[in-house]
Amino acid sequence: MDQNGLLRLGIFAAILAVMALWEAIAPYRPKEVVRRPMRWLTNFGLLLVSAALARFTIGAVMIATAIWAQQQGLGLNNLVGMPALLGGLITIIVLDCAIYWQHRLAHMIPILWRFHRVHHCDVEFDVTTAVRFHPFEIVASALYKSFFVLLIGADPWAVVIYESMLSGFALFNHGNVHLPKSLDRALRLLIVTPDMHRVHHSSVMDETNSNYGNILSVWDRLFVSYTDHTRTNDHDMQIGLEEFRDRNSQSLLGVLWLPFRQP
């Protein structure tokens, strides 16, 4: 693993540890203890499968794209000769907007939803949900983001920073934790908070199809997909998809096969 990969892994592991400890000390919603071992096996199993698939297929395709664009003088930043700080800020904003639309389209386009529903069929909501993605969706996402890296002419370090932020915020946003209401209200004017993102994992489809943001909350407000709160109390709301609550839909092999089966 190269230096960039080690840096991202270190940041990911540190935030994962902090969020897991926070959940253990002050969990917001009660967990179904009986299902917990299976969920951990499934969610972290998907993470390992995705990491292995990426390793032996596309690898660090976004970094490679950024380096190639820089060498060839391609993309907005390289053509204009933008200052590094401004170029990095533009990279983060554009990539975050692109991921918002990737996420939203994954809910709108049937073939994409087949794979993305692996993430939504989790019957609980905690930090491990952040890594519950089908490996094929991870690969497709990396290729999709690489297009925007090329378009921007992103600096490789800006890509590393964004990817670290993306994974870090995913862990934070999926945390089974709760912020004081006043702090949550202030933060979600700029960034996505756990209380805001929890709405997105509701079993009520109108709520599922909202709050797509990853880092910046502005996209949901700008593109009219923001839902302030669930219809029921956060403690009572049902998490996951109604049609995939059986034991087979929660196993590692079950979720790997999930995109290819009917409800």
Side-chain angles (χ1 to χ4, degrees):
M1 186 179 293
D2 61 15
Q3 186 178 5
N4 292 336
L6 286 172
L7 176 62
R8 287 183 53 201
L9 179 60
I11 293 173
F12 178 86
I15 298 175
L16 176 61
V18 169
M19 293 306 301
L21 181 61
W22 188 355
E23 289 183 342
I25 295 173
Y28 183 55
R29 285 169 51 92
K31 292 188 176 185
E32 297 183 33
V33 178
V34 174
R35 297 195 186 208
R36 196 177 301 172
M38 175 182 280
R39 288 189 61 253
W40 287 349
L41 176 63
T42 298
N43 294 353
F44 286 115
L46 283 172
L47 175 63
L48 293 176
V49 173
S50 297
L53 183 61
R55 179 76 174 174
F56 294 108
T57 54
I58 58 173
V61 64
M62 293 176 65
I63 303 298
T65 301
I67 293 173
W68 183 76
Q70 198 173 61
Q71 292 172 342
Q72 302 299 318
L74 300 175
L76 177 64
N77 287 352
N78 294 317
L79 290 173
V80 175
M82 209 168 290
L85 186 59
L86 178 59
L89 183 61
I90 289 174
T91 295
I92 291 170
I93 292 172
V94 171
L95 286 178
D96 197 53
C97 184
I99 287 298
Y100 166 88
W101 278 107
Q102 176 195 311
H103 192 177
R104 187 165 181 172
L105 290 172
H107 282 246
M108 296 169 60
I109 300 175
I111 186 62
L112 298 181
W113 174 245
R114 281 183 166 271
F115 290 91
H116 186 61
R117 67 190 183 187
V118 167
H119 181 62
H120 279 275
C121 73
D122 197 346
V123 295
E124 289 186 19
F125 180 87
D126 64 16
V127 68
T128 71
T129 308
V131 300
R132 185 188 177 106
F133 287 94
H134 196 280
F136 288 177
E137 183 176 12
I138 295 296
V139 171
S141 178
L143 294 173
Y144 169 84
K145 287 182 287 187
S146 294
F147 169 77
F148 288 94
V149 168
L150 180 60
L151 192 68
I152 301 166
D155 185 280
W157 273 105
V159 174
V160 172
I161 291 170
Y162 175 74
E163 285 292 283
S164 298
M165 290 178 64
L166 182 63
S167 59
F169 268 87
L171 294 170
F172 170 66
N173 294 337
H174 288 88
N176 181 28
V177 297
H178 179 64
L179 298 171
K181 190 171 183 179
S182 58
L183 178 59
D184 176 80
R185 288 290 171 194
L187 287 177
R188 73 165 66 182
L189 292 174
L190 178 62
I191 63 173
V192 179
T193 65
D195 284 352
M196 176 180 167
H197 190 70
R198 190 180 297 109
V199 175
H200 182 70
H201 284 262
S202 166
S203 294
V204 179
M205 289 310 294
D206 285 349
E207 295 171 352
T208 305
N209 295 325
S210 69
N211 295 9
Y212 300 103
N214 296 274
I215 297 175
L216 300 174
S217 61
V218 64
W219 310 124
D220 282 297
R221 301 176 192 277
L222 181 62
F223 299 119
V224 199
S225 58
Y226 176 70
T227 297
D228 186 72
H229 57 272
T230 57
R231 298 174 191 174
T232 58
N233 184 282
D234 277 5
H235 287 276
D236 299 326
M237 67 179 281
Q238 181 175 268
I239 300 290
L241 302 177
E242 285 284 0
E243 62 270 34
F244 296 113
R245 307 192 73 81
D246 58 287
R247 186 177 180 84
N248 183 52
S249 297
Q250 301 301 317
S251 68
L252 178 56
L253 291 178
V255 295
L256 286 170
W257 182 247
L258 195 68
F260 311 104
R261 58 171 278 205
Q262 294 296 329

